[in-house]
Amino acid sequence: MISVAAERRSHHLLSKWKLGAIVENRVTELTLAEFLSYGPQKFPGTEGKPILRKLKDGRIFEWKVDKDAPLCTLEGAFQNVDRSVGFNVELKFDDLVDYTEGQLPRILKAILKVVFENAEGRAVMFSSFQPDAVRLIRKLQSAYPVYFLTNGGTEIYADVRNSLDEAIKLCVDNGLQGIVSEVKAVFRNPGAVARIKELKLSLITYGQLNNVPEVVYMQYYLMGFDGVIVDLVKEISKSVSDVTRVKEEEEKSSYGEDGKMEAKAKPQFSIEELSFLMKLIPELMIQP
């Protein structure tokens, strides 16, 4: 599944003038032509405006990756990405802006129009950190699942709904399909995970810790999470497959010549054992 951001959460795009001055532009204030003029360009010999990255601590770096593609619209992404690939359309809004009652519906209806006209049977889900955005996108349509994104309290925001417990309440009250949480938050709150399972909500995680294959394996295969978002998809997939293969070989070796089960078997965790395991993981995370 490919993740597509319908709007940047920061709503800013940094660029450098030829004279060396750094310019910060609000994405929503750019025309489409201006937006597409940044970064790599479609036509050979055409140079786009350089893009910079601003970290949370204020440091600024030039945007450098091994391979990049020109910026595109949501419609362009639907048209050019293989039809077998699903889309996680993340609805990004500025945390520091209080949107009026009419702004959110107007923005969301424009996004829905593009999705309905271009998805053509493709697997699509919507997600957002903005509580009102997920509530409204669910109210405006029922064809695609809607997930609430939350850091689960790992970062502090003014809106109290950006916590794991509030995420559960938001999902239940508005008929959302599930939660996408920062992985450390779910490990630190095993009671919330049990409630999510009891309420039959889907649970997906994201975060740096998901780049550890064993952590991904534990979530997906042992704990029954519905999805895990990682940065290094190919590398993590291979590592998890290797772990799975070893586990399967261990299972096969658990049967004696008479076909009866011996002592070793794939571990099956009870809710109590999972709770203990999840309480243990935060201790492991702080180890050097």
Side-chain angles (χ1 to χ4, degrees):
M1 176 168 283
I2 188 170
S3 182
V4 177
E7 294 196 12
R8 293 176 62 89
R9 193 178 188 197
S10 65
H11 268 231
H12 294 85
L13 189 150
L14 297 178
S15 182
K16 183 185 290 185
W17 282 351
K18 290 184 179 180
L19 296 178
I22 295 176
V23 180
E24 187 171 2
N25 290 313
R26 205 172 180 82
V27 173
T28 49
E29 295 174 353
L30 297 174
T31 65
L32 178 58
E34 289 172 334
F35 174 71
L36 296 177
S37 70
Y38 289 93
Q41 299 295 294
K42 289 183 178 180
F43 304 105
T46 306
E47 185 176 350
K49 300 173 186 177
I51 303 176
L52 307 178
R53 298 183 63 188
K54 186 175 183 180
L55 303 184
K56 292 180 179 180
D57 60 9
R59 289 180 296 162
I60 297 175
F61 295 92
E62 187 174 351
W63 187 288
K64 287 185 178 180
V65 293
D66 293 334
K67 186 177 180 181
D68 208 344
L71 298 176
C72 70
T73 62
L74 179 59
E75 180 181 9
F78 273 117
Q79 292 175 348
N80 293 293
V81 174
D82 189 281
R83 297 285 174 184
S84 64
V85 179
F87 274 40
N88 171 14
V89 182
E90 183 183 342
L91 310 165
K92 291 179 177 275
F93 294 90
D94 195 324
D95 297 320
L96 302 178
V97 173
D98 291 325
Y99 293 91
T100 65
E101 187 174 342
Q103 281 179 309
L104 284 179
R106 177 179 57 79
I107 295 170
L108 296 177
K109 285 178 182 178
I111 295 168
L112 281 174
K113 184 175 184 296
V114 174
V115 173
F116 285 137
E117 291 178 354
N118 295 276
E120 297 183 0
R122 188 194 300 266
V124 175
M125 61 177 277
F126 291 104
S127 63
S128 181
F129 283 99
Q130 223 285 357
D132 293 322
V134 291
R135 179 178 58 80
L136 282 172
I137 201 77
R138 183 69 183 90
K139 186 176 180 180
L140 290 170
Q141 62 83 43
S142 58
Y144 302 110
V146 179
Y147 286 72
F148 182 52
L149 268 162
T150 178
N151 56 54
T154 57
E155 294 181 57
I156 304 300
Y157 290 94
D159 195 320
V160 296
R161 289 174 294 182
N162 278 315
S163 70
L164 201 52
D165 290 333
E166 289 294 330
I168 295 172
K169 185 177 186 301
L170 187 74
C171 287
V172 172
D173 290 347
N174 296 279
L176 307 185
Q177 279 70 34
I179 297 167
V180 181
S181 173
E182 214 288 337
V183 59
K184 291 182 180 179
V186 299
F187 286 151
R188 291 168 179 168
N189 195 342
V193 175
R195 286 178 58 207
I196 291 170
K197 286 179 171 290
E198 290 171 1
L199 292 167
K200 302 189 184 306
L201 295 171
S202 294
L203 178 59
I204 300 172
T205 65
Y206 72 91
Q208 286 294 321
L209 196 60
N210 279 353
N211 290 322
V212 179
E214 292 78 8
V215 173
V216 174
Y217 178 87
M218 184 184 69
Q219 293 177 77
Y220 195 74
Y221 288 97
L222 301 183
M223 302 174 68
F225 289 8
D226 298 280
V228 181
I229 298 173
V230 303
D231 295 323
L232 309 172
V233 177
K234 290 183 179 180
E235 294 83 351
I236 295 296
S237 296
K238 183 181 183 304
S239 297
V240 171
S241 296
D242 291 342
V243 174
T244 304
R245 177 178 51 77
V246 170
K247 293 294 184 182
E248 289 176 347
E249 290 175 355
E250 289 177 353
E251 285 184 21
K252 291 179 182 178
S253 67
S254 298
Y255 289 89
E257 294 181 359
D258 58 356
K260 293 183 178 180
M261 193 72 165
E262 293 183 347
K264 290 197 302 180
K266 184 176 180 178
Q268 300 293 326
F269 294 104
S270 66
I271 293 296
E272 291 75 16
E273 290 169 327
L274 284 177
S275 296
F276 171 79
L277 188 60
M278 293 174 74
K279 289 176 182 176
L280 178 64
I281 288 175
E283 299 297 324
L284 298 176
M285 288 192 293
I286 63 174
Q287 297 299 319

